């Protein structure tokens, strides 16, 4: 985006084909142009674009970047004074592959590790977690797991499937795990609420639940409130591209906080353009001094990315000091 003064603002619209609620809204560039024109002609462009979180994130990011709005740029992170801690992401793979990734992340300085689970046999996943915990206590390494709705394979018999989910959560609770993201598929609000109530008695520390995919498509305020009031999770994981752009993400943080629900922010396979804006937003929502590890490591999955003013120093992301005139066109 460029304004009459020649200032440039960068934003990224990156819906995920099988996940975003607006994945079919942008079949060609003319769709994007039409929606932007309609939104800018409305009384409130953010309200108009609520059903299109990926595009809303891109437009809000570009506008705030162009004007260097304090919403994103008035934090220690934005001023290159502090870095944001983030978790080391261990992608799904074989037992040996995942353990090798864990060791590499720890050597790089990560003290919060997130494991994607559900790709290998359950016994192998438990063996991996047990091995990690046998070497690194909860005081040394914080462990998060992400089931992507697949903690236990769905059965024809719902009661049998629900018991399997509960049994697996009980087993995980033995290993001092910080949280499990989205243990069951979205839309099962009643059972998910039961799991959240069950969580504290599971073990000494329980197994807190963090909702992720459950937030997708709940773009209206009353929908967000209804889900939070019904399920009452311990955490929500916010991805601006999927969950409402900048304004919608801040709304999620606010509504969760009102209910005593904590949250953190993660990227969703955006390039460095989107990742930078996710990091700037996380610094705004959880700052001024961000202590809780965010989920900003997805950019490391790319073999070819766009060069931006981001730098990874160990387990923290920093915004490099830049000459702002290079990005403003002045």
């Amino acid at each position: 985006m460029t304004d009459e003064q020649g200032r440039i603002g960068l934003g990224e619209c990156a819906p995920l084909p099988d996940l975003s609620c607006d994945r079919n809204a942008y079949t060609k560039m003319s769709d994007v142009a039409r929606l932007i024109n309609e939104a800018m002609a409305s009384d409130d462009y953010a309200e108009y674009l609520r059903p299109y979180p990926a595009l809303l994130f891109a437009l809000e990011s570009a506008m705030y970047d162009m004007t260097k709005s304090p919403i994103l740029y008035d934090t220690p992170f934005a001023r290159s004074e502090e870095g944001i801690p983030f978790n080391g992401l261990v992608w799904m793979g074989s037992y040996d592959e995942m353990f090798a990734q864990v060791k590499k992340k720890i050597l790089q300085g990560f003290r919060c590790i997130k494991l994607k689970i559900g790709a290998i046999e359950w016994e192998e996943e438990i063996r991996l977690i047990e091995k990690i915990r046998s070497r690194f206590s909860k005081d040394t390494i914080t462990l998060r797991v992400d089931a992507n709705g697949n903690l236990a394979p769905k059965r024809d018999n719902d009661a049998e499937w629900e018991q399997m989910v509960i049994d697996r959560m009980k087993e995980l609770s033995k290993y001092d795990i910080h949280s499990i993201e989205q243990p069951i598929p979205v839309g099962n609000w009643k059972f998910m609420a039961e799991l959240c109530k069950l969580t504290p008695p599971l073990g000494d520390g329980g197994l807190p639940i963090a909702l992720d995919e459950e937030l997708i498509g709940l773009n209206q305020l009353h929908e967000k409130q209804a889900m939070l009031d019904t399920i009452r999770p311990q955490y929500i994981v916010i991805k601006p591209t999927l969950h409402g752009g900048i304004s919608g993400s801040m709304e999620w943080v606010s509504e969760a906080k009102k209910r005593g629900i904590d949250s953190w922010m993660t990227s969703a396979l955006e390039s460095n353009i989107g990742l930078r804006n996710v990091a700037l937003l996380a610094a705004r929502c959880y700052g001024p001094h961000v202590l809780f590890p965010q989920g900003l490591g997805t950019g490391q999955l790319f073999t070819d990315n766009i060069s931006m003013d981001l730098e990874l120093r160990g387990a923290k992301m920093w915004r490099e000091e830049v000459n702002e005139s290079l990005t403003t066109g002045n």
Side-chain angles (χ1 to χ4, degrees), residues 121-281:
E121 292 296 322
W122 174 250
E123 291 74 17
E124 289 288 278
E125 291 178 332
I126 287 296
R127 188 163 69 92
L128 173 63
I129 292 170
E130 186 175 28
K131 187 172 183 178
I132 295 169
R133 269 290 171 250
S134 69
R135 299 190 182 189
F136 305 99
S137 71
K138 66 177 182 179
D139 296 323
T140 305
I141 297 294
T142 298
L143 274 181
R144 296 172 177 167
V145 297
D146 183 0
N148 289 118
N150 193 36
L151 180 60
K154 202 76 168 73
R155 301 294 183 90
D156 292 334
N157 185 312
D158 285 345
E160 183 182 340
W161 170 69
E162 290 178 2
Q163 188 58 52
M164 182 181 291
V165 170
I166 292 171
D167 290 344
R168 290 190 173 185
M169 287 189 64
K170 285 180 179 179
E171 194 164 7
L172 285 171
S173 72
K174 301 173 184 176
Y175 299 103
D176 296 312
I177 291 175
H178 171 271
S179 57
I180 179 170
E181 289 184 37
Q182 201 68 41
I184 62 174
V186 300
N188 294 282
W189 286 18
K190 183 176 182 294
F191 183 42
M192 186 74 87
E194 292 173 3
L195 291 175
C196 290
K197 288 180 182 178
L198 176 67
T199 289
L202 282 174
D204 292 341
L207 183 56
I209 290 174
L211 298 186
D212 179 356
E213 288 90 347
E214 202 73 61
L215 281 60
I216 296 173
L218 304 181
N219 299 315
Q220 300 300 323
L221 177 59
H222 68 89
E223 295 173 324
K224 299 176 182 181
Q225 293 170 333
M227 188 277 285
L228 294 173
D229 288 337
T230 300
I231 298 180
R232 290 282 174 174
Q234 284 73 33
Y235 299 101
I236 58 173
V237 183
I238 300 168
K239 297 178 178 177
T241 286
L242 299 175
H243 301 149
I246 292 174
S247 54
S249 295
M250 295 178 77
E251 192 171 73
W252 273 116
V253 172
S254 175
E255 290 300 315
K257 188 179 294 186
K258 290 176 185 177
R259 293 160 174 79
I261 299 168
D262 288 328
S263 64
W264 68 88
M265 200 163 291
T266 84
S267 50
L269 297 178
E270 301 91 351
S271 74
N272 278 340
I273 293 176
L275 180 59
R276 177 182 69 163
N277 289 314
V278 172
L280 288 166
L281 180 57

Side-chain angles (χ1 to χ4, degrees), residues 68 85-86 144 179 201 205 247 286 288 304 315:
K68 294 297 178 281
F86 65 101
R144 296 172 177 167
S179 57
S247 54
Y286 305 112
D304 183 19

Side-chain angles (χ1 to χ4, degrees), residues 52-127:
Y52 311 100
L55 182 55
L56 178 57
F57 180 49
L59 186 58
E60 288 177 313
S61 298
M63 294 183 71
Y64 292 158
D65 184 37
M66 184 173 64
T67 61
K68 294 297 178 281
S69 166
I71 292 176
L72 293 188
Y73 286 90
D74 186 19
T75 66
F77 170 75
R79 294 190 294 269
S80 305
E81 298 168 359
E82 293 184 5
I84 298 177
F86 65 101
N87 58 238
L89 179 61
V90 174
W91 210 251
M92 291 181 282
S94 69
Y95 174 91
D96 291 334
E97 290 169 343
M98 292 179 74
F99 190 66
Q101 289 182 67
V102 170
K103 290 193 294 183
K104 181 178 179 181
K105 294 297 180 184
I106 292 173
L107 287 173
Q108 290 173 335
F110 287 94
R111 293 298 174 262
C112 181
I113 304 292
K114 175 179 171 179
L115 301 173
K116 290 277 190 177
I117 61 174
I120 58 178
E121 292 296 322
W122 174 250
E123 291 74 17
E124 289 288 278
E125 291 178 332
I126 287 296
R127 188 163 69 92

